[in-house]
Structure formats: C-alpha cells, structure tokens
Amino acid sequence: MARFLLDRSLGQRALVARLRGEGWDARTLAEEYGDERAQAMPDEEWIGRGARSGFVLLAKDHRIATRPLEAHAICHHDARVIVFARGDMTATRMGDLYLEYSEKIHQVALGRGPFVYSIAAHGLVRKRLNAP
C-alpha cells in the first residue's frame, strides 16, 4: 500500500483526516518533520526527503513540474508526485477528487518515479517535467 505525504499547502487537518478515514496511509509535513521545520522547508527539500522516505507526494501546485529547482528535485530523487490541475479548490473538493480517483491514484503510486500526475475533474494526466 502506498504511503502519502501531504504538502503544507493542502492543510493540516481536514484533508488528511478525510483520507485516513477512507483507509489511506497519509501524513502531513508537520507530522513527519515538526510544524516549525515543515513551514520553513523549501519545496526541493521536502520533495527529496519525502521521496527518500518512500512517500508518494501530494501537492496543490501543478507548477511544481515546471519550476527548475522542484523539477530537478523530483527527477534526482525519483519522486512520485500528484498535484491538482487547479490551485483554487477547497479541502472538500480536493478530498472529493482524491477519493473519486482513489483506485487510479493508488495504481500510479505503485509505479517508479520520477513522475508528476495532475488531477482534475476529468481524471489524472501525466505532466511533463521541466528537467534534463
């Protein structure tokens, strides 16, 4: 079963509680590294740490695949990342999408990284990484 690590942009309570309630093995950055460290941790650091610990990374910002530092970290650490196609969703809507596509998310989570998938109302789409 895949283990998921939620970026701080996804919140600390509602979404992770909902996923756990549906049987997901999910943790927040604050739970994994402490609240103070999680708030200060650059994206490329949490990507590396999370990937090395075997987590599938859940993030809100789809631009993670195109920003050079983050894309390089994803490639370098063979990270498996799932992001939202839109960043303006509520925790309820994000949870709805995760649960609607839970089977597909868990299926792609078993794959080898590096990859970034974007999730939206129409499903999951693999994104191109802006890295060598």
Side-chain angles (χ1 to χ4, degrees), residues 3-20 24-41 46-47 49-51 53 55-59 91 94 98:
R3 296 170 48 225
F4 296 92
L5 183 63
L6 281 72
D7 182 19
R8 61 190 163 267
S9 65
L10 297 175
Q12 300 298 315
R13 294 180 194 89
L15 184 56
V16 73
R18 186 167 178 204
L19 295 176
R20 287 178 184 151
W24 290 43
D25 183 354
R27 293 183 56 80
T28 65
L29 280 178
E31 291 169 333
E32 194 67 15
Y33 303 110
D35 190 49
E36 187 175 315
R37 183 70 198 118
Q39 291 302 320
M41 194 178 290
W46 84 266
I47 290 166
R49 286 177 172 233
S53 296
F55 286 104
V56 176
L57 310 176
L58 303 180
M94 289 186 286
Y98 279 143

Side-chain angles (χ1 to χ4, degrees), residues 31-81:
E31 291 169 333
E32 194 67 15
Y33 303 110
D35 190 49
E36 187 175 315
R37 183 70 198 118
Q39 291 302 320
M41 194 178 290
D43 284 343
E44 57 274 16
E45 182 180 342
W46 84 266
I47 290 166
R49 286 177 172 233
R52 283 192 306 272
S53 296
F55 286 104
V56 176
L57 310 176
L58 303 180
K60 194 172 189 177
D61 189 357
H62 65 92
R63 294 173 297 181
I64 199 169
T66 59
R67 289 192 196 109
L69 289 176
E70 289 95 330
H72 176 75
I74 291 166
C75 288
H76 181 76
H77 297 288
D78 293 326
R80 299 167 295 156
V81 185

Side-chain angles (χ1 to χ4, degrees), residues 77-118:
H77 297 288
D78 293 326
R80 299 167 295 156
V81 185
I82 299 173
V83 298
F84 286 99
R86 293 180 39 199
D88 61 348
M89 288 186 255
T90 65
T92 298
R93 181 64 183 132
M94 289 186 286
D96 290 345
L97 284 172
Y98 279 143
L99 297 179
E100 181 178 350
Y101 295 105
S102 180
E103 186 176 325
K104 179 68 174 171
I105 290 168
H106 280 83
Q107 182 182 23
V108 300
L110 296 175
R112 291 188 55 145
F115 64 71
V116 176
Y117 277 87
S118 174

